[in-house]
Amino acid sequence: MTKITVAGAGAFGSALAVALDMAGREVTLVGRNIDTFQTSRDNPRLKGVPIPDSITLTSELNVTQDDLLLLAVPMQAMSGYLEDTKPKPKAAIACSKGVDLATGRGPTAIINDLLDVPSAILTGPSFAADIARGLPTALVIATESDLGEELQEALSTDTLRLYLSHDPIGAELGGALKNVIAIACGICIGAGLGESARAALMTRGMAEMLRMAVAMGAKPETLAGLAGFGDLALTCTSEQSRNFKFGLSLGGKGPAPTATTEGRHTARAIVKLAEAKGVDMPIAKMVAGVVEEKLTLEQAVSMLLSRPLTKEWPYAYRADLHR
């Protein structure tokens, strides 16, 4: 049996480790904070779900060429983590959603640049608590390598259903960009602008996601699936989403979440990429402006509402249609 090592003992990495262990896989969970729950097996990042004794806990990454490595480290730390550890697994599967702020690269590009191993991304609509408790969840495993079906089989369980894609760019951009739209939706609800406004933001946000993804070489149909629309729907409508809760706090409702909120970094990175590609992304610009404290809430709302009236282009994702 292929050994599975999960690097990153946060909520999502721990949840994947628990789910795969329950399915009979040999799992190792690696994290800097492992010592805090090595004995109790109670990870504070995944409250209420003890880490089974059958999962090996360690602070040292040690993988072989026969192992699968799931990288559940924060997106902004992935490059440094791989440079420091230099692992050589059978395949490295990114489980982070976002765009590197320093380089504008997605997780599979970082893996391809730093490791000489097949890369993939595991993404889609999911909350860590649901996965850990064995609730039905569907994700996408996207890779350009010929290991796709093997990875799909190895990482699927009775309750964790994986769909195979050969468009990692589209899959990772869907997962990254929906966080930005989720922040916008959180701002909308936090500021009391209403459910109709949220629906508009989600719909126009989907149009932005399509434009940017296609400009980056992704397939538009990928954004219509779990990695795009599915993840957008979940993240923009639930307070379990860190990005949505962060947006709520920006809109004046409740405290900001203490856990990593990738969307705040992705918004800044994607605005730079959009400008370089000539892609119009007004919602992302609004979020970046609020996050960087360059726009007040009132200015942000005014910026979106004062845009010129135009036709609706729900499927305007061709390279020549950037608005």
Side-chain angles (χ1 to χ4, degrees), residues 50-70:
I51 306 298
D53 291 338
S54 48
I55 295 178
T56 301
L57 301 182
T58 179
S59 59
E60 298 294 329
L61 181 62
N62 183 20
V63 296
T64 72
Q65 293 181 348
D66 294 324
D67 302 340
L68 297 182
L69 174 60
L70 301 185

Side-chain angles (χ1 to χ4, degrees), residues 164-224:
L164 179 60
S165 167
H166 296 294
D167 181 20
I169 294 176
E172 66 185 20
L173 281 173
L177 296 177
K178 61 87 187 179
N179 283 336
V180 180
I181 308 305
I183 292 175
C185 287
I187 292 173
C188 169
I189 298 302
L193 301 181
E195 296 291 349
S196 298
R198 169 160 51 183
L201 280 172
M202 290 176 65
T203 307
R204 299 311 305 162
M206 185 68 187
E208 287 192 21
M209 290 168 60
L210 281 165
R211 288 197 296 267
M212 189 63 201
V214 171
M216 295 291 289
K219 299 175 182 178
E221 54 265 33
T222 302
L223 277 293

Side-chain angles (χ1 to χ4, degrees), residues 23-292:
R25 311 297 197 272
E26 182 183 351
V27 181
T28 297
L29 180 61
V30 183
R32 293 178 303 175
N33 61 335
I34 286 291
D35 290 345
T36 61
F37 59 90
Q38 182 89 47
T39 302
S40 68
R41 315 292 289 196
D42 186 15
N43 186 347
R45 298 288 184 88
L46 193 64
K47 294 180 180 180
V49 182
I51 306 298
D53 291 338
S54 48
I55 295 178
T56 301
L57 301 182
T58 179
S59 59
E60 298 294 329
L61 181 62
N62 183 20
V63 296
T64 72
Q65 293 181 348
D66 294 324
D67 302 340
L68 297 182
L69 174 60
L70 301 185
L71 290 164
V73 298
M75 184 63 222
Q76 305 307 318
M78 182 177 292
S79 181
Y81 184 80
L82 294 181
E83 288 175 345
D84 290 343
T85 57
K86 298 180 175 61
K88 295 181 180 180
K90 184 174 186 178
I93 301 98
C95 304
S96 303
K97 299 175 182 179
V99 176
D100 184 69
L101 187 57
T103 64
R105 295 179 299 174
T108 56
I110 290 175
I111 293 171
N112 293 337
D113 286 348
L114 298 177
L115 304 181
D116 187 22
V117 301
S119 66
I121 181 163
L122 182 65
T123 186
S126 56
F127 289 135
D130 292 348
I131 293 175
R133 290 182 171 87
L135 300 179
T137 305
L139 299 176
V140 172
I141 181 77
T143 181
E144 292 180 330
S145 79
D146 57 5
L147 294 178
E149 291 184 0
E150 182 178 341
L151 297 179
Q152 181 185 29
E153 181 70 24
L155 300 176
S156 291
T157 73
D158 289 343
T159 57
L160 188 61
R161 182 179 177 86
L162 269 57
Y163 287 81
L164 179 60
S165 167
H166 296 294
D167 181 20
I169 294 176
E172 66 185 20
L173 281 173
L177 296 177
K178 61 87 187 179
N179 283 336
V180 180
I181 308 305
I183 292 175
C185 287
I187 292 173
C188 169
I189 298 302
L193 301 181
E195 296 291 349
S196 298
R198 169 160 51 183
L201 280 172
M202 290 176 65
T203 307
R204 299 311 305 162
M206 185 68 187
E208 287 192 21
M209 290 168 60
L210 281 165
R211 288 197 296 267
M212 189 63 201
V214 171
M216 295 291 289
K219 299 175 182 178
E221 54 265 33
T222 302
L223 277 293
L226 290 166
F229 173 75
D231 215 353
L232 179 74
L234 181 70
T235 311
C236 292
T237 59
S238 174
E239 291 194 23
Q240 289 189 66
S241 163
R242 294 190 300 263
N243 291 280
F244 180 73
K245 287 187 70 173
F246 177 63
L248 282 176
S249 70
L250 293 177
K253 183 179 178 181
T258 57
T260 301
T261 309
E262 287 290 1
R264 64 194 304 176
H265 304 297
T266 301
R268 298 164 61 196
I270 212 66
V271 165
K272 293 179 183 178
L273 282 175
E275 290 174 351
K277 293 285 185 179
V279 179
D280 189 33
M281 299 190 72
I283 298 174
K285 287 181 181 178
M286 180 273 286
V287 171
V290 174
V291 166
E292 294 177 330

